[in-house]
Amino acid sequence: MKKAHVLHLTDGDEFGGGEQAILTLLKQTDRSRWDLTLAYHPTDALAPLVDGARAAGATPWAIPRMDPGFEGLGRLPAFARELRRRAPDIVHLHLMWPLACQYQLLAAAMYHHAKVVATAHSYVDLRLSWRVDHQQRLYTRAVDRYLAVSQHVRTKLVDGLGWPPEKIDVVHNGVDADAYREPADIRVRTELTNGRPGTVVLLVARLDPQKGHRHLLAAAAELPDVRVAFAGEGPERRRLEAAAVELGIDDRVAFLGHRTDVARVLAASDIVALPSAFEGLPVSLLEAMAAGKPVVASNIGGVDELVQDDVTGVLFEPGNARALAAAVRRLIDDPGRAGRLAAAGHARVIAEFSSSAMARRVGAVYERVLSD
């Protein structure tokens, strides 16, 4: 069978969970069946995605930004011509929010020979003007198949934006659990704790208000035996550093920056927290559970499809720092319970959220749209 060409495209400019999901998919895609290209905006922050894609055998293609407006619209024809020249069989758009990749979608529609697949990695509540709402509903007609990373995202897209339910499949994110079986490294542990005793609570996420880092700082202020580590970069760093100082806990907070060794950082931590305001299906929790760590997370849509309260982790009221502190304290005070939750979470990731299963499901969607 002749190999088909899939062009993955993202208009994001940071490396977060969605980008990690793209990279995992590229690594797990059957290369005997599919040739791969990754189209991306050239920014330093996306270097882990681009380097990883290249290592996975995908061809990187740096494209100019096409944000809504006359400048972005002016770049559309040249992009469409190059798309035609590269001649993909499938254009797979990765939407980090529902209205991402709008002009790229128009270009794919102009190139009539490719099928269009779009993954909705997250959902953000939007108040759309009549014009924008009508416009995005027209755009949905150009997509052959949508993939939602959780049932929560699918429901929101249908109920909130009116996307056609018959076009949306749920394909959960997945991880390679074996990649997170790392032994604890005393050097990394020292980096997280500055060589001092205490329970390390880790949050792996870009430093963005969505992720709720400030709630973990407030919780840590009530837990004097806890040390906090933030793995990730983003626009909130200065504000979070200032908040740690204001709370008097800056000597117990480690800002690690972007890490390419997340498995090693996880191995050196004790508990993983994710106090987000909203999520799709968070890769950071999949990674933590794959690493066998107990997790505490906001009880929000998407997260609750992964973490079962008091079975595979602990859920708490979103935005409630005291509830987060109480959840962490219960795990610290009952290590037997923490161990049981961690073991159950690890088993669930292996059984239901493997990267190979995710890639097979996406591949099946590709085959289906090509045969339509």
Side-chain angles (χ1 to χ4, degrees):
M1 182 184 294
K2 180 184 175 182
K3 289 203 286 187
H5 179 196
V6 181
L7 188 147
H8 291 268
L9 189 152
T10 176
D11 68 356
D13 55 9
E14 296 179 342
F15 187 86
E19 289 72 23
Q20 182 59 58
I22 297 171
L23 184 53
T24 298
L25 178 58
L26 294 176
K27 290 178 178 178
Q28 290 290 332
T29 296
D30 180 1
R31 297 308 309 284
S32 69
R33 175 68 180 106
W34 311 102
D35 281 330
L36 303 175
T37 295
L38 172 70
Y40 65 97
H41 299 316
T43 65
D44 290 342
L46 285 182
L49 174 60
V50 178
D51 293 344
R54 188 179 288 112
T59 301
W61 174 23
I63 62 174
R65 295 197 65 87
M66 284 182 281
D67 294 328
F70 289 113
E71 185 177 0
L73 190 61
R75 292 172 174 168
L76 192 153
F79 174 74
R81 286 194 298 270
E82 181 61 16
L83 192 65
R84 220 173 274 119
R85 188 188 73 79
R86 291 175 179 261
D89 299 289
I90 295 173
V91 175
H92 188 156
L93 305 173
H94 293 273
L95 314 181
M96 301 307 161
W97 70 300
L99 301 187
C101 300
Q102 296 290 283
Y103 286 158
Q104 293 89 336
L105 175 54
L106 282 178
M110 291 164 63
Y111 171 59
H112 300 291
H113 300 290
K115 298 291 186 176
V116 179
V117 175
T119 294
H121 288 270
S122 186
Y123 180 85
V124 181
D125 285 316
L126 301 169
R127 292 183 179 180
L128 304 180
S129 66
W130 177 88
R131 181 184 63 81
V132 173
D133 180 64
H134 181 68
Q135 184 181 60
Q136 67 87 26
R137 288 174 189 260
L138 286 175
Y139 287 160
T140 63
R141 298 182 183 180
V143 177
D144 295 283
R145 206 75 195 166
Y146 281 104
L147 306 179
V149 299
S150 64
Q151 184 61 50
H152 167 72
V153 169
R154 182 183 187 278
T155 299
K156 284 287 191 177
L157 293 173
V158 173
D159 294 347
L161 294 179
W163 289 16
E166 68 277 5
K167 276 191 175 185
I168 309 175
D169 294 324
V170 174
V171 177
H172 289 134
N173 289 329
V175 294
D176 177 6
D178 288 341
Y180 295 91
R181 298 182 65 175
E182 286 277 345
D185 187 324
I186 187 63
R187 292 169 297 182
V188 180
R189 179 75 181 190
T190 300
E191 184 181 1
L192 303 189
T193 65
N194 200 24
R196 298 176 182 176
T199 298
V200 175
V201 180
L202 174 68
L203 201 173
V204 182
R206 68 185 185 280
L207 305 183
D208 183 276
Q210 170 202 346
K211 300 296 182 177
H213 295 79
R214 66 190 185 280
H215 301 311
L216 184 53
L217 290 178
E222 300 182 19
L223 300 166
D225 54 341
V226 161
R227 310 193 70 83
V228 171
F230 293 149
E233 273 296 351
E236 282 289 288
R237 178 157 184 160
R238 289 187 178 180
R239 280 188 283 270
L240 292 170
E241 288 173 336
V245 171
E246 185 177 345
L247 289 166
I249 60 171
D250 53 302
D251 61 333
R252 294 194 281 121
V253 181
F255 289 86
L256 307 178
H258 175 73
R259 301 295 293 231
T260 59
D261 59 343
V262 170
R264 294 175 72 234
V265 175
L266 283 165
S269 67
D270 301 303
I271 296 169
V272 174
L274 188 66
S276 297
F278 60 90
E279 288 287 350
L281 190 92
V283 171
S284 63
L285 288 184
L286 287 170
E287 293 173 331
M289 294 163 73
K293 298 298 174 178
V295 300
V296 293
S298 300
N299 189 3
I300 55 177
V303 168
D304 59 5
E305 294 175 45
L306 173 60
V307 180
Q308 299 161 297
D309 189 35
D310 208 30
V311 178
T312 59
V314 179
L315 298 176
F316 63 90
E317 180 186 5
N320 190 330
R322 288 190 174 181
L324 171 54
V328 171
R329 171 54 62 200
R330 288 197 299 273
L331 291 179
I332 295 173
D333 291 346
D334 191 347
R337 175 172 176 255
R340 288 191 297 273
L341 295 180
H346 179 75
R348 186 159 195 239
V349 166
I350 291 174
E352 300 181 39
F353 297 95
S354 72
S355 57
S356 58
M358 174 187 68
R360 284 196 303 272
R361 290 166 188 151
V362 173
V365 171
Y366 291 166
E367 297 287 6
R368 200 158 66 243
V369 297
L370 287 178
S371 65
D372 287 345

